[in-house]
Amino acid sequence: MFIIANFLKAVASIADTILTIYMYVLIARAILSWVNPDPYNPIVNFLYRATEPLLQRVRRVLPNTGGLDLSPLMILLAIFFIQKFIIASLFELADRMKFGMGV
């Protein structure tokens, strides 16, 4: 049972790290939207390519708020929810499986 518990803990840890990195990429993209960055800069190009597919999907669902783009905020809230609920639950489940506290 400890093998499955360790596997769950590893999956949760990797997912948490990936979500944290994506959160920082999304924050960098939001900050760049306040200025007029060079679109040919490789870092700016990467930030746009990494975030635009998800931002575009959220923009289609959100109502039009004029010039205010709330899609990064919605994605950040979703990331926080996933980290605090789903990933924390995976860690808890792995601990319960490993230490035999019942599931």
Side-chain angles (χ1 to χ4, degrees), residues 73-86:
L73 180 63
M74 294 296 120
I75 295 172
L76 286 176
L77 289 174
I79 289 173
F80 285 136
F81 175 78
I82 291 169
Q83 286 180 324
K84 298 300 179 191
F85 179 68
I86 296 173

Side-chain angles (χ1 to χ4, degrees), residues 1-16 87 90-91 93-95 97-98:
M1 202 59 121
F2 71 92
I3 294 174
I4 297 171
N6 287 340
F7 177 75
L8 277 177
K9 200 172 247 190
V11 167
S13 182
I14 290 170
D16 189 39
I87 292 179
L90 284 175
F91 277 122
L93 178 63
D95 285 341
M97 288 174 72
K98 192 170 189 174

Side-chain angles (χ1 to χ4, degrees), residues 6 8 21 27 32 34 40 42-43 47 54 60-61 65 76-77 79:
N6 287 340
L8 277 177
I21 290 170
I27 290 170
L32 275 178
W34 299 343
Y40 298 109
I43 296 172
L47 291 173
L54 188 56
R60 277 190 251 136
V61 175
T65 57
L76 286 176
L77 289 174
I79 289 173

Side-chain angles (χ1 to χ4, degrees), residues 2 4 7-8 15 18 23 29 35 44 51 54 57 66 69 77-78 86 91-92 95 101:
F2 71 92
I4 297 171
F7 177 75
L8 277 177
I18 289 171
M23 182 177 60
R29 161 72 190 264
V35 296
V44 173
T51 57
L54 188 56
R57 287 182 187 163
D69 185 14
L77 289 174
I86 296 173
F91 277 122
E92 181 71 27
D95 285 341
M101 292 183 244

